[in-house]
Amino acid sequence: MKWKNEEKVNINAVFRIEKKYADLEQVFQQVYDTDCYTRWFNWKPFVWLSFDQKYLEEGCKGIIRFTIPPFRYELTVTRVEKNRIIEFQSDGRLFGGTARMEFYEKDGNIYYEDPHILFGKNRLIHKYYCWFLAGKHVPYMESRFQILRKFLLNQQKDISNDENKI
């Protein structure tokens, strides 16, 4: 068996919210601000992210951890275009790849996509990741997007209530 891995796995999840409930900047901010991002993304003790900076700016490092099954990898922010794109690179000892967060408006909706192209550096790690984690990415993100949606709707209510007080 050849140990070096050449295979990659592509995964993507898409968040959509009507523009009347949130604008592009509000959705971007829920990801860009690492405190906001981890508040809706993390599901401790099973899956969680931690970052070394307050914002996802170039050079910010993040670690994603899974307890079941045990696995982790690191990502570093390599590019940010406010309200448009956040890109990550991973090049660890056992795991690598890229992740990209794309924010855009289309047909009266705001979208946030998170395509990833990831790979284990050897076949065993790659198969482990594919069998136990990659296929669960979209369902996991869809469940977390429901929390993000609630945060955005509550934020919109707070803005409306503040405007009514004036």
Short mmCIF file of all heavy atoms in Angstrom, two decimals, residues 41-103:
data_model
loop_
_atom_site.label_atom_id
_atom_site.label_comp_id
_atom_site.label_asym_id
_atom_site.label_seq_id
_atom_site.Cartn_x
_atom_site.Cartn_y
_atom_site.Cartn_z
N PHE A 41 -20.82 28.67 16.17
CA PHE A 41 -20.23 27.49 15.55
C PHE A 41 -19.95 26.36 16.55
O PHE A 41 -20.19 25.19 16.26
CB PHE A 41 -18.92 27.86 14.84
CG PHE A 41 -18.24 26.68 14.21
CD1 PHE A 41 -18.54 26.29 12.92
CD2 PHE A 41 -17.30 25.93 14.91
CE1 PHE A 41 -17.92 25.19 12.34
CE2 PHE A 41 -16.68 24.83 14.35
CZ PHE A 41 -17.00 24.46 13.05
N ASN A 42 -19.41 26.69 17.70
CA ASN A 42 -18.94 25.67 18.63
C ASN A 42 -20.07 24.84 19.23
O ASN A 42 -21.15 25.35 19.52
CB ASN A 42 -18.13 26.31 19.77
CG ASN A 42 -16.78 26.79 19.31
OD1 ASN A 42 -16.38 26.60 18.17
ND2 ASN A 42 -16.06 27.45 20.20
N TRP A 43 -19.77 23.57 19.41
CA TRP A 43 -20.68 22.63 20.07
C TRP A 43 -19.83 21.78 21.01
O TRP A 43 -19.59 20.61 20.77
CB TRP A 43 -21.40 21.78 19.02
CG TRP A 43 -22.46 20.89 19.56
CD1 TRP A 43 -23.34 21.15 20.58
CD2 TRP A 43 -22.77 19.57 19.11
NE1 TRP A 43 -24.17 20.08 20.78
CE2 TRP A 43 -23.84 19.09 19.89
CE3 TRP A 43 -22.24 18.74 18.12
CZ2 TRP A 43 -24.39 17.83 19.71
CZ3 TRP A 43 -22.79 17.49 17.95
CH2 TRP A 43 -23.86 17.05 18.73
N LYS A 44 -19.34 22.45 22.06
CA LYS A 44 -18.46 21.77 23.02
C LYS A 44 -19.26 20.74 23.79
O LYS A 44 -20.42 20.98 24.09
CB LYS A 44 -17.84 22.79 23.98
CG LYS A 44 -16.75 23.62 23.35
CD LYS A 44 -16.12 24.52 24.38
CE LYS A 44 -14.98 25.30 23.79
NZ LYS A 44 -14.35 26.18 24.74
N PRO A 45 -18.69 19.64 24.10
CA PRO A 45 -17.30 19.24 23.97
C PRO A 45 -17.02 18.44 22.71
O PRO A 45 -16.00 17.78 22.61
CB PRO A 45 -17.09 18.35 25.20
CG PRO A 45 -18.41 17.65 25.34
CD PRO A 45 -19.44 18.67 24.92
N PHE A 46 -17.90 18.49 21.72
CA PHE A 46 -17.75 17.64 20.54
C PHE A 46 -16.97 18.28 19.40
O PHE A 46 -16.12 17.64 18.78
CB PHE A 46 -19.12 17.18 20.04
CG PHE A 46 -19.90 16.48 21.11
CD1 PHE A 46 -20.99 17.09 21.70
CD2 PHE A 46 -19.53 15.22 21.56
CE1 PHE A 46 -21.71 16.46 22.71
CE2 PHE A 46 -20.23 14.58 22.56
CZ PHE A 46 -21.32 15.21 23.14
N VAL A 47 -17.27 19.53 19.10
CA VAL A 47 -16.59 20.26 18.02
C VAL A 47 -16.41 21.69 18.48
O VAL A 47 -17.37 22.30 18.97
CB VAL A 47 -17.43 20.26 16.72
CG1 VAL A 47 -16.74 21.05 15.62
CG2 VAL A 47 -17.76 18.86 16.25
N TRP A 48 -15.20 22.23 18.32
CA TRP A 48 -15.02 23.63 18.65
C TRP A 48 -13.79 24.21 17.98
O TRP A 48 -12.83 23.52 17.69
CB TRP A 48 -15.01 23.87 20.15
CG TRP A 48 -13.80 23.41 20.90
CD1 TRP A 48 -12.74 24.17 21.29
CD2 TRP A 48 -13.53 22.08 21.36
NE1 TRP A 48 -11.83 23.39 21.96
CE2 TRP A 48 -12.30 22.10 22.03
CE3 TRP A 48 -14.22 20.87 21.27
CZ2 TRP A 48 -11.73 20.97 22.60
CZ3 TRP A 48 -13.65 19.73 21.84
CH2 TRP A 48 -12.43 19.80 22.50
N LEU A 49 -13.89 25.51 17.74
CA LEU A 49 -12.82 26.31 17.16
C LEU A 49 -12.26 27.23 18.23
O LEU A 49 -13.00 27.68 19.11
CB LEU A 49 -13.39 27.21 16.06
CG LEU A 49 -13.59 26.67 14.68
CD1 LEU A 49 -14.46 27.61 13.86
CD2 LEU A 49 -12.26 26.47 13.98
N SER A 50 -11.00 27.53 18.12
CA SER A 50 -10.40 28.59 18.93
C SER A 50 -9.45 29.36 18.02
O SER A 50 -8.88 28.80 17.09
CB SER A 50 -9.68 28.02 20.14
OG SER A 50 -8.64 27.15 19.74
N PHE A 51 -9.31 30.66 18.29
CA PHE A 51 -8.48 31.53 17.46
C PHE A 51 -7.52 32.31 18.34
O PHE A 51 -7.79 32.53 19.52
CB PHE A 51 -9.36 32.52 16.69
CG PHE A 51 -10.26 31.86 15.69
CD1 PHE A 51 -11.60 31.63 16.00
CD2 PHE A 51 -9.79 31.48 14.45
CE1 PHE A 51 -12.45 31.03 15.09
CE2 PHE A 51 -10.64 30.87 13.53
CZ PHE A 51 -11.97 30.65 13.85
N ASP A 52 -6.43 32.77 17.75
CA ASP A 52 -5.44 33.53 18.50
C ASP A 52 -5.61 35.04 18.34
O ASP A 52 -4.82 35.81 18.87
CB ASP A 52 -4.01 33.10 18.14
CG ASP A 52 -3.62 33.45 16.72
OD1 ASP A 52 -4.48 33.91 15.93
OD2 ASP A 52 -2.43 33.27 16.38
N GLN A 53 -6.65 35.48 17.62
CA GLN A 53 -6.91 36.90 17.45
C GLN A 53 -8.41 37.18 17.55
O GLN A 53 -9.23 36.27 17.43
CB GLN A 53 -6.40 37.38 16.08
CG GLN A 53 -4.90 37.31 15.93
CD GLN A 53 -4.43 37.81 14.57
OE1 GLN A 53 -5.06 38.66 13.95
NE2 GLN A 53 -3.30 37.27 14.11
N LYS A 54 -8.74 38.44 17.76
CA LYS A 54 -10.13 38.86 17.89
C LYS A 54 -10.87 38.83 16.56
O LYS A 54 -12.08 38.59 16.52
CB LYS A 54 -10.17 40.28 18.50
CG LYS A 54 -11.50 40.97 18.49
CD LYS A 54 -12.44 40.42 19.52
CE LYS A 54 -13.71 41.27 19.55
NZ LYS A 54 -14.91 40.50 19.67
N TYR A 55 -10.16 39.06 15.47
CA TYR A 55 -10.78 39.09 14.14
C TYR A 55 -10.05 38.15 13.19
O TYR A 55 -8.85 37.90 13.36
CB TYR A 55 -10.79 40.51 13.56
CG TYR A 55 -11.59 41.45 14.40
CD1 TYR A 55 -10.97 42.34 15.27
CD2 TYR A 55 -12.99 41.45 14.36
CE1 TYR A 55 -11.70 43.20 16.08
CE2 TYR A 55 -13.73 42.30 15.16
CZ TYR A 55 -13.08 43.17 16.02
OH TYR A 55 -13.83 44.00 16.81
N LEU A 56 -10.75 37.65 12.21
CA LEU A 56 -10.14 36.79 11.20
C LEU A 56 -9.39 37.66 10.18
O LEU A 56 -9.82 37.86 9.06
CB LEU A 56 -11.21 35.93 10.50
CG LEU A 56 -11.89 34.89 11.37
CD1 LEU A 56 -12.91 34.10 10.55
CD2 LEU A 56 -10.88 33.95 11.99
N GLU A 57 -8.27 38.18 10.61
CA GLU A 57 -7.38 38.97 9.76
C GLU A 57 -6.23 38.08 9.31
O GLU A 57 -5.97 37.03 9.92
CB GLU A 57 -6.82 40.18 10.53
CG GLU A 57 -7.83 41.27 10.74
CD GLU A 57 -8.22 41.99 9.45
OE1 GLU A 57 -7.47 41.94 8.46
OE2 GLU A 57 -9.31 42.58 9.44
N GLU A 58 -5.51 38.50 8.26
CA GLU A 58 -4.37 37.73 7.77
C GLU A 58 -3.42 37.39 8.91
O GLU A 58 -3.09 38.24 9.72
CB GLU A 58 -3.63 38.50 6.68
CG GLU A 58 -4.38 38.52 5.37
CD GLU A 58 -3.60 39.19 4.26
OE1 GLU A 58 -2.35 39.12 4.26
OE2 GLU A 58 -4.24 39.77 3.39
N GLY A 59 -3.03 36.12 8.98
CA GLY A 59 -2.13 35.65 10.02
C GLY A 59 -2.83 35.06 11.23
O GLY A 59 -2.20 34.37 12.03
N CYS A 60 -4.13 35.31 11.37
CA CYS A 60 -4.88 34.73 12.49
C CYS A 60 -4.87 33.20 12.35
O CYS A 60 -5.12 32.66 11.29
CB CYS A 60 -6.32 35.25 12.48
SG CYS A 60 -7.38 34.53 13.74
N LYS A 61 -4.57 32.53 13.45
CA LYS A 61 -4.53 31.06 13.44
C LYS A 61 -5.71 30.52 14.22
O LYS A 61 -6.05 31.04 15.28
CB LYS A 61 -3.23 30.56 14.05
CG LYS A 61 -2.01 30.92 13.22
CD LYS A 61 -0.76 30.27 13.78
CE LYS A 61 0.48 30.69 13.05
NZ LYS A 61 0.47 30.56 11.63
N GLY A 62 -6.30 29.48 13.67
CA GLY A 62 -7.40 28.82 14.33
C GLY A 62 -7.15 27.32 14.40
O GLY A 62 -6.46 26.76 13.56
N ILE A 63 -7.70 26.71 15.43
CA ILE A 63 -7.61 25.25 15.58
C ILE A 63 -9.03 24.73 15.72
O ILE A 63 -9.81 25.25 16.52
CB ILE A 63 -6.80 24.85 16.83
CG1 ILE A 63 -5.37 25.39 16.76
CG2 ILE A 63 -6.78 23.33 16.99
CD1 ILE A 63 -4.59 25.20 18.05
N ILE A 64 -9.36 23.74 14.90
CA ILE A 64 -10.65 23.07 15.04
C ILE A 64 -10.39 21.71 15.66
O ILE A 64 -9.49 20.99 15.23
CB ILE A 64 -11.43 22.97 13.71
CG1 ILE A 64 -12.79 22.36 13.96
CG2 ILE A 64 -10.65 22.23 12.65
CD1 ILE A 64 -13.80 22.56 12.85
N ARG A 65 -11.18 21.40 16.68
CA ARG A 65 -11.01 20.14 17.41
C ARG A 65 -12.30 19.34 17.39
O ARG A 65 -13.38 19.91 17.49
CB ARG A 65 -10.62 20.44 18.86
CG ARG A 65 -9.31 21.14 19.01
CD ARG A 65 -9.12 21.59 20.47
NE ARG A 65 -7.84 22.22 20.68
CZ ARG A 65 -7.62 23.52 20.53
NH1 ARG A 65 -8.59 24.33 20.18
NH2 ARG A 65 -6.42 24.02 20.75
N PHE A 66 -12.14 18.04 17.28
CA PHE A 66 -13.24 17.09 17.35
C PHE A 66 -12.90 16.09 18.44
O PHE A 66 -11.77 15.61 18.49
CB PHE A 66 -13.39 16.32 16.02
CG PHE A 66 -13.51 17.20 14.82
CD1 PHE A 66 -12.37 17.67 14.16
CD2 PHE A 66 -14.75 17.55 14.32
CE1 PHE A 66 -12.47 18.47 13.03
CE2 PHE A 66 -14.86 18.35 13.20
CZ PHE A 66 -13.72 18.81 12.55
N THR A 67 -13.86 15.76 19.30
CA THR A 67 -13.57 14.76 20.32
C THR A 67 -14.02 13.37 19.89
O THR A 67 -13.42 12.38 20.29
CB THR A 67 -14.24 15.09 21.68
OG1 THR A 67 -15.63 15.29 21.47
CG2 THR A 67 -13.61 16.30 22.31
N ILE A 68 -15.08 13.31 19.07
CA ILE A 68 -15.57 12.00 18.61
C ILE A 68 -15.75 12.08 17.11
O ILE A 68 -16.70 12.70 16.65
CB ILE A 68 -16.91 11.64 19.28
CG1 ILE A 68 -16.75 11.62 20.79
CG2 ILE A 68 -17.42 10.31 18.77
CD1 ILE A 68 -18.05 11.51 21.54
N PRO A 69 -14.88 11.50 16.34
CA PRO A 69 -13.65 10.84 16.72
C PRO A 69 -12.56 11.87 17.00
O PRO A 69 -12.65 13.01 16.52
CB PRO A 69 -13.30 10.00 15.48
CG PRO A 69 -13.84 10.81 14.35
CD PRO A 69 -15.09 11.47 14.88
N PRO A 70 -11.53 11.51 17.73
CA PRO A 70 -10.48 12.48 18.04
C PRO A 70 -9.73 12.91 16.77
O PRO A 70 -9.24 12.09 16.01
CB PRO A 70 -9.56 11.71 18.99
CG PRO A 70 -9.94 10.29 18.90
CD PRO A 70 -11.31 10.20 18.33
N PHE A 71 -9.72 14.23 16.55
CA PHE A 71 -9.07 14.78 15.36
C PHE A 71 -8.95 16.28 15.55
O PHE A 71 -9.78 16.89 16.23
CB PHE A 71 -9.90 14.48 14.11
CG PHE A 71 -9.18 14.69 12.82
CD1 PHE A 71 -8.30 13.73 12.36
CD2 PHE A 71 -9.38 15.83 12.07
CE1 PHE A 71 -7.62 13.90 11.15
CE2 PHE A 71 -8.71 16.01 10.86
CZ PHE A 71 -7.84 15.04 10.41
N ARG A 72 -7.93 16.87 14.94
CA ARG A 72 -7.79 18.33 14.97
C ARG A 72 -6.93 18.78 13.80
O ARG A 72 -6.12 18.01 13.28
CB ARG A 72 -7.20 18.81 16.27
CG ARG A 72 -5.74 18.44 16.45
CD ARG A 72 -5.13 19.03 17.67
NE ARG A 72 -4.23 20.09 17.25
CZ ARG A 72 -3.68 20.97 18.04
NH1 ARG A 72 -3.94 20.96 19.30
NH2 ARG A 72 -2.88 21.89 17.57
N TYR A 73 -7.14 20.00 13.38
CA TYR A 73 -6.23 20.60 12.42
C TYR A 73 -6.24 22.11 12.59
O TYR A 73 -7.13 22.67 13.22
CB TYR A 73 -6.53 20.17 10.98
CG TYR A 73 -7.87 20.54 10.41
CD1 TYR A 73 -8.06 21.72 9.71
CD2 TYR A 73 -8.95 19.67 10.51
CE1 TYR A 73 -9.29 22.04 9.15
CE2 TYR A 73 -10.17 19.97 9.96
CZ TYR A 73 -10.33 21.17 9.28
OH TYR A 73 -11.55 21.48 8.72
N GLU A 74 -5.21 22.73 12.07
CA GLU A 74 -5.03 24.17 12.20
C GLU A 74 -5.25 24.84 10.85
O GLU A 74 -4.94 24.26 9.80
CB GLU A 74 -3.63 24.48 12.70
CG GLU A 74 -3.36 23.96 14.08
CD GLU A 74 -1.95 24.25 14.56
OE1 GLU A 74 -1.31 25.21 14.05
OE2 GLU A 74 -1.48 23.52 15.45
N LEU A 75 -5.75 26.05 10.91
CA LEU A 75 -5.95 26.88 9.72
C LEU A 75 -5.38 28.26 10.00
O LEU A 75 -5.49 28.77 11.12
CB LEU A 75 -7.45 27.02 9.41
CG LEU A 75 -8.19 25.78 8.99
CD1 LEU A 75 -9.69 25.98 9.13
CD2 LEU A 75 -7.85 25.45 7.54
N THR A 76 -4.80 28.88 8.98
CA THR A 76 -4.29 30.24 9.09
C THR A 76 -4.97 31.10 8.04
O THR A 76 -5.06 30.71 6.87
CB THR A 76 -2.76 30.27 8.86
OG1 THR A 76 -2.14 29.41 9.82
CG2 THR A 76 -2.21 31.68 9.01
N VAL A 77 -5.45 32.27 8.44
CA VAL A 77 -6.09 33.19 7.51
C VAL A 77 -5.02 33.74 6.58
O VAL A 77 -3.99 34.25 7.03
CB VAL A 77 -6.82 34.35 8.23
CG1 VAL A 77 -7.41 35.34 7.24
CG2 VAL A 77 -7.89 33.81 9.16
N THR A 78 -5.25 33.64 5.27
CA THR A 78 -4.28 34.11 4.28
C THR A 78 -4.77 35.32 3.48
O THR A 78 -3.97 36.01 2.86
CB THR A 78 -3.91 32.99 3.29
OG1 THR A 78 -5.10 32.51 2.67
CG2 THR A 78 -3.19 31.85 4.01
N ARG A 79 -6.08 35.56 3.49
CA ARG A 79 -6.62 36.67 2.69
C ARG A 79 -7.99 37.08 3.24
O ARG A 79 -8.80 36.21 3.57
CB ARG A 79 -6.76 36.24 1.24
CG ARG A 79 -7.34 37.27 0.32
CD ARG A 79 -7.33 36.75 -1.11
NE ARG A 79 -8.27 37.50 -1.91
CZ ARG A 79 -9.04 36.99 -2.83
NH1 ARG A 79 -8.98 35.70 -3.10
NH2 ARG A 79 -9.87 37.74 -3.51
N VAL A 80 -8.21 38.38 3.31
CA VAL A 80 -9.51 38.89 3.74
C VAL A 80 -9.90 40.05 2.84
O VAL A 80 -9.10 40.95 2.60
CB VAL A 80 -9.47 39.41 5.21
CG1 VAL A 80 -10.81 40.01 5.61
CG2 VAL A 80 -9.07 38.30 6.16
N GLU A 81 -11.11 39.99 2.31
CA GLU A 81 -11.73 41.12 1.63
C GLU A 81 -13.03 41.36 2.36
O GLU A 81 -13.96 40.54 2.27
CB GLU A 81 -12.00 40.80 0.16
CG GLU A 81 -10.77 40.71 -0.69
CD GLU A 81 -11.10 40.42 -2.15
OE1 GLU A 81 -12.16 40.88 -2.63
OE2 GLU A 81 -10.31 39.71 -2.78
N LYS A 82 -13.10 42.45 3.11
CA LYS A 82 -14.27 42.74 3.95
C LYS A 82 -15.57 42.55 3.18
O LYS A 82 -15.70 43.02 2.05
CB LYS A 82 -14.22 44.17 4.48
CG LYS A 82 -13.20 44.38 5.54
CD LYS A 82 -13.83 44.30 6.88
CE LYS A 82 -12.77 44.67 7.87
NZ LYS A 82 -13.05 44.77 9.17
N ASN A 83 -16.48 41.85 3.82
CA ASN A 83 -17.83 41.59 3.29
C ASN A 83 -17.83 40.78 2.00
O ASN A 83 -18.84 40.74 1.30
CB ASN A 83 -18.61 42.89 3.09
CG ASN A 83 -18.77 43.65 4.38
OD1 ASN A 83 -18.90 43.07 5.44
ND2 ASN A 83 -18.75 44.97 4.30
N ARG A 84 -16.70 40.11 1.68
CA ARG A 84 -16.63 39.29 0.46
C ARG A 84 -16.00 37.93 0.68
O ARG A 84 -16.60 36.92 0.35
CB ARG A 84 -15.82 40.03 -0.61
CG ARG A 84 -16.61 41.06 -1.37
CD ARG A 84 -16.02 41.31 -2.70
NE ARG A 84 -15.50 40.04 -3.22
CZ ARG A 84 -14.76 39.88 -4.26
NH1 ARG A 84 -14.42 40.89 -4.95
NH2 ARG A 84 -14.32 38.72 -4.65
N ILE A 85 -14.77 37.91 1.18
CA ILE A 85 -14.00 36.65 1.21
C ILE A 85 -13.10 36.59 2.45
O ILE A 85 -12.50 37.58 2.83
CB ILE A 85 -13.10 36.53 -0.04
CG1 ILE A 85 -13.94 36.42 -1.30
CG2 ILE A 85 -12.14 35.36 0.07
CD1 ILE A 85 -13.14 36.56 -2.57
N ILE A 86 -13.02 35.39 3.02
CA ILE A 86 -11.98 35.06 4.01
C ILE A 86 -11.41 33.72 3.56
O ILE A 86 -12.16 32.77 3.36
CB ILE A 86 -12.55 34.94 5.44
CG1 ILE A 86 -13.23 36.24 5.88
CG2 ILE A 86 -11.42 34.56 6.42
CD1 ILE A 86 -13.98 36.14 7.19
N GLU A 87 -10.09 33.67 3.36
CA GLU A 87 -9.44 32.44 2.92
C GLU A 87 -8.49 31.93 4.00
O GLU A 87 -7.84 32.72 4.68
CB GLU A 87 -8.66 32.66 1.62
CG GLU A 87 -9.55 32.91 0.44
CD GLU A 87 -8.78 33.12 -0.86
OE1 GLU A 87 -7.54 33.32 -0.82
OE2 GLU A 87 -9.42 33.08 -1.91
N PHE A 88 -8.40 30.61 4.09
CA PHE A 88 -7.55 29.92 5.05
C PHE A 88 -6.65 28.93 4.33
O PHE A 88 -7.02 28.39 3.30
CB PHE A 88 -8.39 29.11 6.05
CG PHE A 88 -9.29 29.89 6.92
CD1 PHE A 88 -10.56 30.25 6.48
CD2 PHE A 88 -8.91 30.25 8.19
CE1 PHE A 88 -11.42 30.95 7.30
CE2 PHE A 88 -9.77 30.95 9.03
CZ PHE A 88 -11.03 31.30 8.57
N GLN A 89 -5.52 28.65 4.95
CA GLN A 89 -4.60 27.62 4.48
C GLN A 89 -4.26 26.72 5.67
O GLN A 89 -4.09 27.22 6.78
CB GLN A 89 -3.32 28.26 3.93
CG GLN A 89 -2.30 27.31 3.40
CD GLN A 89 -2.71 26.73 2.06
OE1 GLN A 89 -3.32 27.41 1.24
NE2 GLN A 89 -2.40 25.48 1.83
N SER A 90 -4.18 25.44 5.42
CA SER A 90 -3.76 24.49 6.45
C SER A 90 -2.61 23.67 5.89
O SER A 90 -2.70 23.15 4.78
CB SER A 90 -4.92 23.56 6.83
OG SER A 90 -4.50 22.63 7.79
N ASP A 91 -1.53 23.58 6.65
CA ASP A 91 -0.40 22.78 6.22
C ASP A 91 0.28 22.18 7.44
O ASP A 91 1.39 22.55 7.80
CB ASP A 91 0.58 23.62 5.40
CG ASP A 91 1.63 22.76 4.72
OD1 ASP A 91 1.39 21.54 4.55
OD2 ASP A 91 2.69 23.29 4.35
N GLY A 92 -0.43 21.27 8.09
CA GLY A 92 0.10 20.62 9.29
C GLY A 92 0.91 19.39 8.93
O GLY A 92 1.08 19.03 7.77
N ARG A 93 1.38 18.74 9.96
CA ARG A 93 2.21 17.54 9.78
C ARG A 93 1.42 16.42 9.11
O ARG A 93 1.93 15.70 8.27
CB ARG A 93 2.74 17.11 11.14
CG ARG A 93 3.77 16.03 11.10
CD ARG A 93 4.41 15.80 12.45
NE ARG A 93 3.48 15.53 13.51
CZ ARG A 93 3.02 14.30 13.82
NH1 ARG A 93 3.45 13.27 13.15
NH2 ARG A 93 2.17 14.14 14.80
N LEU A 94 0.13 16.28 9.48
CA LEU A 94 -0.67 15.17 8.97
C LEU A 94 -1.83 15.58 8.06
O LEU A 94 -2.43 14.74 7.41
CB LEU A 94 -1.26 14.37 10.15
CG LEU A 94 -0.24 13.72 11.07
CD1 LEU A 94 -0.94 13.11 12.26
CD2 LEU A 94 0.57 12.69 10.31
N PHE A 95 -2.13 16.88 8.01
CA PHE A 95 -3.34 17.31 7.33
C PHE A 95 -3.10 18.66 6.66
O PHE A 95 -2.34 19.48 7.16
CB PHE A 95 -4.46 17.43 8.37
CG PHE A 95 -5.83 17.38 7.80
CD1 PHE A 95 -6.38 16.20 7.35
CD2 PHE A 95 -6.59 18.53 7.71
CE1 PHE A 95 -7.66 16.15 6.83
CE2 PHE A 95 -7.86 18.50 7.19
CZ PHE A 95 -8.40 17.30 6.75
N GLY A 96 -3.76 18.90 5.51
CA GLY A 96 -3.59 20.17 4.82
C GLY A 96 -4.81 20.51 3.99
O GLY A 96 -5.77 19.75 3.91
N GLY A 97 -4.73 21.67 3.36
CA GLY A 97 -5.81 22.08 2.47
C GLY A 97 -6.12 23.56 2.57
O GLY A 97 -5.36 24.34 3.14
N THR A 98 -7.26 23.92 1.98
CA THR A 98 -7.71 25.30 1.97
C THR A 98 -9.19 25.37 2.36
O THR A 98 -9.93 24.41 2.19
CB THR A 98 -7.55 25.94 0.57
OG1 THR A 98 -8.32 25.19 -0.37
CG2 THR A 98 -6.10 25.98 0.14
N ALA A 99 -9.56 26.51 2.87
CA ALA A 99 -10.96 26.80 3.14
C ALA A 99 -11.19 28.24 2.69
O ALA A 99 -10.29 29.07 2.76
CB ALA A 99 -11.27 26.64 4.62
N ARG A 100 -12.38 28.48 2.22
CA ARG A 100 -12.71 29.81 1.71
C ARG A 100 -14.12 30.13 2.17
O ARG A 100 -15.02 29.29 2.05
CB ARG A 100 -12.62 29.79 0.20
CG ARG A 100 -12.93 31.07 -0.48
CD ARG A 100 -12.79 30.87 -2.00
NE ARG A 100 -13.24 32.02 -2.72
CZ ARG A 100 -12.46 32.87 -3.33
NH1 ARG A 100 -11.17 32.67 -3.32
NH2 ARG A 100 -12.95 33.91 -3.95
N MET A 101 -14.31 31.29 2.69
CA MET A 101 -15.64 31.75 3.07
C MET A 101 -16.03 32.85 2.11
O MET A 101 -15.29 33.83 1.96
CB MET A 101 -15.65 32.26 4.50
CG MET A 101 -15.29 31.20 5.50
SD MET A 101 -15.07 31.94 7.11
CE MET A 101 -14.98 30.49 8.11
N GLU A 102 -17.15 32.67 1.44
CA GLU A 102 -17.60 33.63 0.44
C GLU A 102 -18.93 34.23 0.88
O GLU A 102 -19.83 33.50 1.29
CB GLU A 102 -17.77 32.93 -0.90
CG GLU A 102 -16.49 32.29 -1.40
CD GLU A 102 -16.70 31.42 -2.63
OE1 GLU A 102 -17.83 31.34 -3.14
OE2 GLU A 102 -15.71 30.80 -3.06
N PHE A 103 -19.04 35.55 0.80
CA PHE A 103 -20.23 36.27 1.20
C PHE A 103 -20.72 37.06 -0.01
O PHE A 103 -19.95 37.80 -0.61
CB PHE A 103 -19.91 37.23 2.35
CG PHE A 103 -19.30 36.54 3.54
CD1 PHE A 103 -17.93 36.29 3.60
CD2 PHE A 103 -20.09 36.13 4.59
CE1 PHE A 103 -17.37 35.64 4.68
CE2 PHE A 103 -19.53 35.48 5.68
CZ PHE A 103 -18.18 35.24 5.73
#
